[in-house]
Each structure stands twice: as structure tokens, then as C-alpha cells.
Amino acid sequence: MLSEWQNHKAQLRNYVYKRVDDASAVDDILQDVYIKASSNLHQLKSKGSLKGWLYKIAYNTIMDFYRDKLPYDELPEDLVAEDEDAVEESRKEIAECMRPLIDELPDKYSVPLRLAELDGIPQQEIADKLGLSLSGAKSRIQRGRVKFRENLMTCCDFEINDGGMVTGYTPKKTNCSSPKR
């Protein structure tokens, strides 16, 4: 391995040097490539593919180098997890706001959707409870979601950020149901 390494070392150094912005890290990366190649030599299928194999290891090692340099923010020491009860209370509050829009759907969609989304019942249980096949229950839940979304979009305008998260909404002036309190 050492003699083959010597044959390719200069070319690998140039390859790494062209891709790494830190000249002092080139030799460290090259050393990592040699160590990885030496310890994984048994994975090499044929001696003829050694050069390509070394370049692949070098590429992966360069990617690791940059991955390790990714910036990250330290979390504050006083960060506290959200209270489980508050999360559950928020979920229930949202569910109650959604219930009137779900109730507007035909029963064949509203019942399975309510059971799945508001009550958290597994789809197989819903199928058994409603006398449907599993695929039938899944289909009704999916169609209920589509119809629910149509109702929701009819009643509200949503602001969505680049990540696809809803950041705000404005009720439309239509004949939509208002949540029962």
C-alpha cells in the first residue's frame, strides 16, 4: 500500500489543495485519507481501481472537513422545554377550532377524519369501528383532509413563510362557521 500511496500522493495533494480553503488543513486531510485507505484496504475490489478509490476517500474526507466547520449556535443555558400540559392544551384548543369545519363535511368524511385527527385513533381501529377496509378508511381520511383544506382555504387567508410554516392568518368575510366555545 505504501508504494502505491507514494505514486498518488502528489496528485491527491493537488486535488485536496484545490478544494480546501485552509492550506494548513491539506496535510491533515491527506493523512486522514491515508489512514482511511490503509484501514479499509480490504474493501478495494481490484488493484486497478485504487486511484479512483483514493480520490473517492479524499472527496469524502474533504466533505467531512467542511461539515465539521459548519457554524452552529450554542443553545442558551436557561432554555426550558415547553410544558407538556401547555402543549396538550394548545392541541385541544386547535382541535376545537377545527371541529366546526370538519363537522361541515359529509359524515362519510367527517367521522373518520375526526377520529383520526382530533381523537388520535389509529386508522386500523377506525376501519374496524366503521366497518371499512383499512384502505377504505385511509381513503376517506385522505379525502376528508382535502375537503377540510378546501373549507379552510375558503374561510381564511394564510401567511406562509419560506419554510412552509403558517405565520399568520386573516378570516375571510364569508359564511363560514365560527368555532363553538
Side-chain angles (χ1 to χ4, degrees):
M1 170 70 189
L2 189 57
S3 64
E4 289 295 324
W5 173 256
Q6 293 301 331
N7 292 338
H8 300 292
K9 185 177 177 182
Q11 291 174 334
L12 283 170
R13 181 185 304 281
N14 286 335
Y15 176 81
V16 173
Y17 186 76
K18 288 178 183 177
R19 286 158 181 80
V20 175
D21 59 359
D22 182 359
S24 63
V26 172
D27 286 329
D28 292 339
I29 291 172
L30 210 54
Q31 182 179 6
D32 286 346
V33 171
Y34 179 74
I35 291 169
K36 289 176 183 178
S38 296
S39 60
N40 294 303
L41 194 57
H42 63 279
Q43 293 178 351
L44 183 62
K45 294 184 182 12
S46 72
K47 191 174 181 179
S49 63
L50 177 69
K51 184 175 181 180
W53 186 64
L54 288 173
Y55 275 91
K56 184 65 175 172
I57 294 172
Y59 172 82
N60 289 337
T61 306
I62 292 168
M63 292 302 107
D64 290 342
F65 169 77
Y66 282 114
R67 206 173 287 122
D68 290 342
K69 287 180 67 171
L70 287 176
Y72 64 93
D73 295 331
E74 290 286 333
L75 293 175
E77 292 292 325
D78 61 342
L79 185 66
V80 178
E82 225 177 307
D83 182 23
E84 293 282 330
D85 292 335
V87 171
E88 183 60 23
E89 186 62 35
S90 295
R91 191 194 70 72
K92 286 179 182 176
E93 187 176 317
I94 290 170
E96 287 308 309
C97 289
M98 293 169 47
R99 192 172 300 277
L101 288 173
I102 292 174
D103 289 343
E104 287 181 7
L105 300 175
D107 285 345
K108 74 187 247 182
Y109 301 121
S110 67
V111 172
L113 185 60
R114 191 179 315 107
L115 292 171
E117 299 298 342
L118 301 183
D119 299 338
I121 297 175
Q123 291 181 354
Q124 183 62 60
E125 271 186 57
I126 294 169
D128 296 341
K129 190 174 200 170
L130 299 177
L132 300 169
S133 65
L134 177 59
S135 64
K138 287 181 178 185
S139 177
R140 287 195 184 178
I141 292 167
Q142 189 61 36
R143 287 181 186 146
R145 286 176 181 155
V146 169
K147 291 183 178 300
F148 170 77
R149 181 179 178 169
E150 289 169 359
N151 286 354
L152 194 60
M153 299 309 278
T154 300
C155 292
C156 297
D157 284 321
F158 292 93
E159 296 173 29
I160 300 174
N161 69 12
D162 292 337
M165 300 292 293
V166 174
T167 57
Y169 70 94
T170 307
K172 292 181 182 177
K173 296 183 191 277
T174 61
N175 294 335
C176 293
S177 297
S178 60
K180 298 171 188 162
R181 294 261 174 186

